[in-house]
Amino acid sequence: MATKVVERKKLSFMENLYIPEIARGVGVTTRQLVKNMFGKKDVVTNQYPEMPAKYPPRFRGRHRLMRRDDGDVRCVACMMCSTACPANCIHIVAGENDDKSIEKYPISFEIDLLVCIYCGFCEEACPCDAIRMDSGRHPMPSFSRDKQRIRKVQLLEEGALSIAKQGGERT
């Protein structure tokens, strides 16, 4: 296969200085500034805390952990959600459970909301219906990175009793 030689256009002195492009950029910025200052009818302002934004019907919301009939967390620390997560934002520490019908439980369950892309893969991967993203709540902004890490306690506060059947008969 032969290579094709492409002749590049030789730039003039003014084109090498990029002065016309800089002037065009300053013109766009100035035009937008004037439009925002004097064309108030075109500017849209959202009064956020008083009037929250309307979310689309497909908006999932923040994560929540569901509970079993006895009030314990449904999660069996199988690590399927953290494995399916493309952003690697779910961190689980597993521990042995006293109940022999349930092998493990999460000692700690943490989701970093600043890293999460809200794809819903964790919800789809969970075989126990333990994690859901149907709260409809948006994570609140904060000045601290630590406040954007929600832990097991906060996830359980959002959750409720799940009516889905968990597990099956062991043979």
Side-chain angles (χ1 to χ4, degrees), residues 105-130:
Y105 76 101
I107 294 173
S108 75
F109 195 109
E110 184 177 296
I111 300 175
D112 190 350
L113 296 177
L114 294 176
V115 179
C116 182
I117 58 174
Y118 296 90
C119 62
F121 288 174
C122 57
E123 183 181 25
E124 292 175 19
C126 183
C128 306
D129 188 40

Side-chain angles (χ1 to χ4, degrees), residues 138-150:
H138 189 274
M140 295 304 293
S142 67
F143 291 108
S144 168
R145 184 173 185 83
D146 190 54
K147 289 185 181 172
Q148 291 297 320
R149 288 191 182 102
I150 55 173

Side-chain angles (χ1 to χ4, degrees), residues 14-116:
M14 286 299 282
E15 289 173 331
N16 273 332
L17 290 179
Y18 299 108
I19 291 176
E21 298 307 315
I22 291 171
R24 188 180 315 171
V26 168
V28 168
T29 304
T30 306
R31 190 169 40 250
Q32 192 64 41
L33 175 74
V34 170
K35 180 181 169 187
N36 286 344
M37 289 185 69
F38 300 114
K40 296 282 187 195
K41 64 182 179 291
D42 297 335
V43 178
V44 177
T45 303
N46 295 330
Q47 303 295 329
Y48 170 63
E50 293 82 25
M51 297 175 57
K54 289 186 172 51
Y55 290 108
R58 292 182 58 186
F59 175 70
R60 292 184 178 98
R62 210 170 83 173
H63 308 76
R64 64 187 183 129
L65 280 177
M66 304 305 288
R67 296 180 183 272
R68 276 188 268 129
D69 293 333
D70 60 358
D72 287 339
V73 65
R74 281 183 75 89
C75 180
V76 293
C78 65
M79 309 294 183
M80 293 289 289
C81 57
S82 61
T83 304
C85 180
N88 258 353
C89 66
I90 301 174
H91 305 285
I92 303 170
V93 176
E96 294 294 323
N97 201 335
D98 296 334
D99 186 0
K100 296 301 176 198
S101 65
I102 302 167
E103 189 175 330
K104 297 185 288 184
Y105 76 101
I107 294 173
S108 75
F109 195 109
E110 184 177 296
I111 300 175
D112 190 350
L113 296 177
L114 294 176
V115 179
C116 182

